[in-house]
Amino acid sequence: MPMQPWFRDAKLGIFVHWGVYAVDGVPESWSFYTGQVPHEQYMRQLDGFTASRYDPRAWADLFARAGARYAVLTARHHDGVALWDSAHGDLNVVRRTPAGRDLIAGYADALRERGLKVGLYYSHSDWNHPHYASTRHPDPGEEPPNPYAHARPGEEDPVAWARFLAYRDGQIGELVDRFRPDLLWFDGEWERTEEQWALDAPAARILAGNPDTILNARMLSHGDYATPEQGVPLQVPEGPWELCLTVNDSWGFQHQDHNHKSVRQLVRYFTETIGAGGNLLLDVGPREDGTIPAEQAERLEGLGAWIARHAEAVYGTVAGLPPGHHYGPSTLSADRRTLYLVCFDVPRETVSVRGLRNRVRRVTVLGTGAELGHRVTGGLHEVPGVTWLDAPAAGHTDEYATVLAVELDGELDLYRGAGRA
């Protein structure tokens, strides 16, 4: 299926890791899996999860101000605690927590009211399900295997595993029917082979409900796009992709984690990602009451203000120059006739572009409209000279990153050769 055009042009999405793990501020699911927290203590967090200040419209408003075009909410993480009232098992916030209500419907409605696409995260694995550890990966990678994830050798139970798959398929069907997600973001795929996961059935179920649903690569052969995490890839994935990145060091809310990235750093991550043709899926972790920490909200606002000042270089663009042509990321207009050069440092004297065969018609500073001089020096035979752009004057640079719009005399034409031998 061709990738949905909205995804390629979205540029920014917001990832929301919200669940009972926010009560004590412990790592989501992993804290009991690894023994950091006793399982009983982890599950006691159900009693403290209130969602008492949850306002999905406030979330949607914040995400829109950040410049996001979609969001992804953790409908169910590896701990098996669902944020909706599932008919498949009773481990959900409606039946087992003081929140006592479905938390997804309002989120989906609020996003759609603001024109944002609705994404839901769902983990294939469920370390709390009684039948999950009834089989094992052919190469589990650790011996003895973790009892929450794998059966011991010789203790596999195919009937129990079939029951688990029926539970998983039933929950996925509920998400599709009730909330009509535009995107489903799967996780946990590493714990089984694709054959063990039996993904044909849920994939067909999803697309029968909405044939335009986008699936991430953790649906394995059924996935539509790649999802690298926590670092801009040096080798860009083939096809559509997004970078998943936390605002601090944690996915969910953790009280002690105050290591928040600055707005300047987020602008750098964002422009490097879209300059390489990807989207940024920026993660926040709400508190158990549903409020997003002020430090994270402030960074979303700051990133959104930068995007608003430079929207022309963000939306409706494609990946820019390959490395080596400009010291920084860049994007290219859809008609391939305008280059947008991102300058993280304040330009001094000139900004150079190498290998540009086109004649430059005009150079302006995005956000202020100031026009800049330009000229070409050097060049021999098929090797073009260096295009020099005058640096903007004081007052025409941006606090976080200045963007220069370079209008060309035709579609971008680059020299990529090695020169004369």
Side-chain angles (χ1 to χ4, degrees):
M1 183 185 71
M3 191 59 171
Q4 296 301 309
W6 73 259
F7 182 84
R8 289 185 180 274
D9 195 44
K11 308 304 181 186
L12 180 67
I14 305 298
F15 212 174
V16 186
H17 274 68
W18 190 35
V20 298
Y21 37 85
V23 174
D24 291 343
V26 295
E28 59 290 333
S29 306
W30 290 98
S31 50
F32 76 80
Y33 179 92
T34 61
Q36 176 184 341
V37 173
H39 181 264
E40 181 182 355
Q41 179 179 330
Y42 183 95
M43 298 308 293
R44 278 202 298 268
Q45 293 178 106
L46 289 164
D47 298 333
F49 188 77
T50 67
S52 58
R53 299 175 63 193
Y54 174 44
D55 183 350
R57 283 192 173 87
W59 281 14
D61 289 344
L62 173 62
F63 300 164
R65 291 195 302 275
R69 297 291 176 86
Y70 67 108
V72 178
L73 172 64
T74 49
R76 181 179 71 65
H77 208 270
H78 315 317
D79 61 10
V81 182
L83 296 188
W84 78 99
D85 189 10
S86 176
H88 301 273
D90 70 347
L91 186 54
N92 61 69
V93 298
V94 181
R95 306 185 198 182
R96 299 283 296 276
T97 76
R101 66 190 189 280
D102 176 289
L103 300 177
I104 296 180
Y107 155 86
D109 291 343
L111 289 187
R112 291 191 168 108
E113 288 173 6
R114 290 304 307 259
L116 277 64
K117 298 294 186 180
V118 175
L120 295 175
Y121 166 112
Y122 184 86
S123 176
H124 294 296
S125 56
D126 183 340
W127 296 330
N128 262 314
H129 193 280
H131 299 313
Y132 181 68
S134 60
T135 191
R136 56 191 272 117
H137 193 286
D139 181 16
E142 58 177 323
E143 294 292 350
N146 190 295
Y148 293 112
H150 299 285
R152 291 181 177 275
E155 297 180 4
E156 298 91 343
D157 184 344
V159 174
W161 179 245
R163 292 194 187 108
F164 173 78
L165 292 180
Y167 149 83
R168 178 207 61 186
D169 292 350
Q171 288 201 326
I172 290 173
E174 289 176 334
L175 294 177
V176 170
D177 292 342
R178 296 187 196 179
F179 311 116
R180 300 173 291 108
D182 302 289
L183 182 155
L184 278 166
W185 207 105
F186 288 94
D187 200 6
E189 83 295 341
W190 69 87
E191 289 198 324
R192 302 287 187 266
T193 66
E194 181 159 5
E195 181 180 10
Q196 288 175 312
W197 284 127
L199 295 178
D200 288 352
R205 176 70 179 81
I206 293 164
L207 298 181
N210 176 10
D212 293 335
T213 308
I214 294 172
L215 310 176
N216 71 336
R218 299 174 195 196
M219 270 295 274
L220 302 177
S221 66
H222 297 280
D224 297 308
Y225 71 96
T227 55
E229 298 183 20
Q230 297 290 51
V232 179
L234 298 180
Q235 288 278 18
V236 177
E238 292 185 12
W241 63 281
E242 70 184 359
L243 169 66
C244 311
L245 182 76
T246 52
V247 171
N248 53 7
D249 292 330
S250 309
W251 297 102
F253 175 73
Q254 294 191 32
H255 306 81
Q256 82 290 349
D257 186 354
H258 303 293
N259 191 31
H260 294 88
K261 298 170 182 67
S262 67
V263 173
R264 180 173 286 102
Q265 288 173 319
L266 293 176
V267 168
R268 181 179 287 256
Y269 274 109
F270 177 67
T271 54
E272 288 177 343
T273 299
I274 67 171
N279 291 348
L280 178 63
L281 185 62
L282 186 59
D283 178 78
V284 295
R287 299 180 184 86
E288 64 80 17
D289 65 4
T291 57
I292 294 173
E295 300 93 336
Q296 297 189 357
E298 288 166 3
R299 280 151 178 83
L300 295 191
E301 299 270 13
L303 176 60
W306 185 90
I307 292 174
R309 293 193 297 273
H310 303 91
E312 180 185 324
V314 175
Y315 307 113
T317 64
V318 296
L321 297 168
H325 290 273
H326 162 62
Y327 291 113
S330 61
T331 59
L332 181 64
S333 61
D335 66 4
R336 305 185 64 81
R337 290 172 175 265
T338 304
L339 265 175
Y340 300 99
L341 307 178
V342 180
C343 304
F344 294 130
D345 298 318
V346 175
R348 298 179 182 178
E349 186 181 349
T350 54
V351 173
S352 65
V353 182
R354 295 169 296 285
L356 185 63
R357 287 194 176 112
N358 301 81
R359 182 177 63 84
V360 173
R361 297 177 56 195
R362 186 168 179 254
V363 182
T364 55
V365 181
L366 217 58
T368 74
E371 189 161 347
L372 305 178
H374 56 88
R375 60 196 177 280
V376 177
T377 60
L380 180 65
H381 303 308
E382 78 277 13
V383 181
V386 175
T387 300
W388 299 96
L389 317 177
D390 290 344
H396 290 282
T397 58
D398 187 89
E399 179 182 4
Y400 301 125
T402 302
V403 179
L404 308 183
V406 183
E407 300 174 25
L408 308 174
D409 64 351
E411 293 189 14
L412 176 66
D413 183 11
L414 292 179
Y415 173 74
R416 300 283 289 161
R420 184 175 176 180

